Amino acid sequence: MNSIRNFLSVYDLTADEIYDILSRAALLKADRTLGSGCLKGKKIGLIFEKSSTRTRVSFEVGVMELGGYPIFMSPRDMQLGRGEPIKDTARVLSRYIDGAIIRTFEQARIEEFAGYFKKPVINGLTDLYHPAQILTDIFTVYEAKSKMRNNTNKAADAIAGDAGDIIKNLKIAYFGDANNMANSWINLQAVMGFELVLAMPDGFKIDDLVAGESQKRGGRFAVSHNKIQAANNADVVTTDVFISMGQNEEQAKIDKLKPFIIDDAVIDNAKDDVIFLHCLPVHRNEEVTEAVFERFSSIVFEEAENRLHVQKAIMEMLF
Ligand code: CP
Ligand code: NVA
């Protein structure tokens, strides 16, 4: 039996496993020393073919806090960057290290790596998905909504028996490009079952495979070209950069997306206790106004911190 678990997309986990990760993340957040022997003696490689601040540092720190040893590898310094095939890189590294976190371009590339590596692999962002981010985002939503509703400040209390009720009854509205964040929200919706609306310009289209897979799994999401309607009654509004890493800086694309900026009108149409999330880095006054971003900045930077706690819980489960 093959017991290797990868986390290449949200679909690699069941809803119950996601709830377990969220609960564990709350405990790990409340006590940073918890789980400190879990990766004792383990060497975890980080291969990043794109830039990163949060993902790289939160995973490196997370591996260290769990007692393991992170090894960051930039393709600039590797033979990978000079054309050594990913399958050969994977077969070599699997003889040295115990797990890997990969940030790369095509989803097929991380899948190929995982196929040859034969030890757990975590997706640290591809063109198609950003699953570690999306689990962090839903953790941040729970935490915030639960704190509001239960009037508590303790993170550990946030992940209680009411987690499923909170999540299933959310309306989440995403604004912007049909990119890896939009796709990850679609995946998460299919597993966890909240209401999801994606507001984007006419002519922008969700990847056929992503939409098809969601449908196959009983997922449901709406695409709207009217940002005020999309925001109506939302519990969470969120966005991402208009131009992702690896994409051309096309002004025409930015111009089309500009009307979907998250501004006061969006926030005013959402619920009174709406929260705003952004995976960062942010382009102020492009996908969100400076005023809205600063108004919700404390939760956005909490979201950034939560990468660490959620990813530690994912690594405990996989590595
Ligand atoms: N949100 C996120 O993944 O940030 P980095 O690109 O800095 O890792
Ligand atoms: N969609 C963005 C996310 C950055 C964290 C990108 O892929 O560049």
Side-chain angles (χ1 to χ4, degrees), residues 16-224:
D16 283 347
E17 285 174 328
I18 293 176
Y19 283 119
D20 286 347
I21 286 170
L22 302 182
S23 303
R24 182 65 182 162
L27 297 175
L28 292 164
K29 182 169 184 173
D31 177 0
R32 289 279 283 269
T33 66
L34 208 65
S36 56
C38 161
L39 292 187
K40 193 163 182 285
K42 300 224 175 192
K43 280 78 69 182
I44 306 298
L46 291 95
I47 304 171
F48 279 46
E49 298 194 278
K50 293 175 177 174
S51 304
S52 173
T53 299
R54 281 144 288 270
T55 308
R56 175 189 172 170
V57 178
S58 57
F59 268 112
E60 284 202 41
V61 170
V63 169
M64 286 189 269
E65 289 189 356
L66 294 176
Y69 186 83
I71 303 172
F72 181 77
M73 289 167 271
S74 157
R76 272 190 303 278
D77 311 313
M78 298 170 77
Q79 299 293 2
L80 185 66
R82 297 180 60 245
E84 183 168 20
I86 195 90
K87 61 184 178 186
D88 294 353
T89 306
R91 281 182 284 193
V92 170
L93 292 179
S94 70
R95 289 161 186 260
Y96 303 145
I97 61 178
D98 304 294
I101 297 137
I102 310 283
R103 170 167 284 198
T104 189
F105 294 87
E106 302 83 16
Q107 185 70 10
R109 193 162 163 84
I110 195 170
E111 284 167 3
E112 185 180 2
F113 182 93
Y116 285 93
F117 187 62
K118 299 200 187 310
K119 289 179 180 175
V121 179
I122 293 178
N123 184 343
L125 180 147
T126 59
D127 294 344
L128 199 64
Y129 298 134
H130 198 1
Q133 179 73 55
I134 218 69
L135 290 201
T136 302
D137 287 6
I138 202 67
F139 175 83
T140 308
V141 174
Y142 261 148
E143 187 181 44
K145 296 291 175 189
S146 180
K147 277 180 191 170
M148 287 169 188
R149 289 170 199 179
N150 301 330
N151 201 17
T152 170
N153 259 327
K154 292 212 312 259
D157 288 354
I159 311 300
D162 62 351
D165 291 339
I166 290 183
I167 289 186
K168 285 194 179 75
N169 290 310
L170 290 170
K171 175 179 173 181
I172 298 184
Y174 169 93
F175 298 75
D177 191 21
N179 64 11
N180 44 13
M181 284 302 296
N183 294 342
S184 300
W185 278 115
I186 291 170
N187 295 348
L188 191 70
Q189 190 287 329
V191 177
M192 309 205 81
F194 45 83
E195 183 183 349
L196 177 65
V197 180
L198 302 139
M200 56 186 62
D202 204 3
F204 281 56
K205 200 170 165 293
I206 300 298
D207 182 283
D208 284 338
L209 286 175
V210 172
E213 190 60 37
S214 159
Q215 199 181 22
K216 218 162 73 190
R217 289 166 183 269
R220 286 181 59 180
F221 63 91
V223 174
S224 168

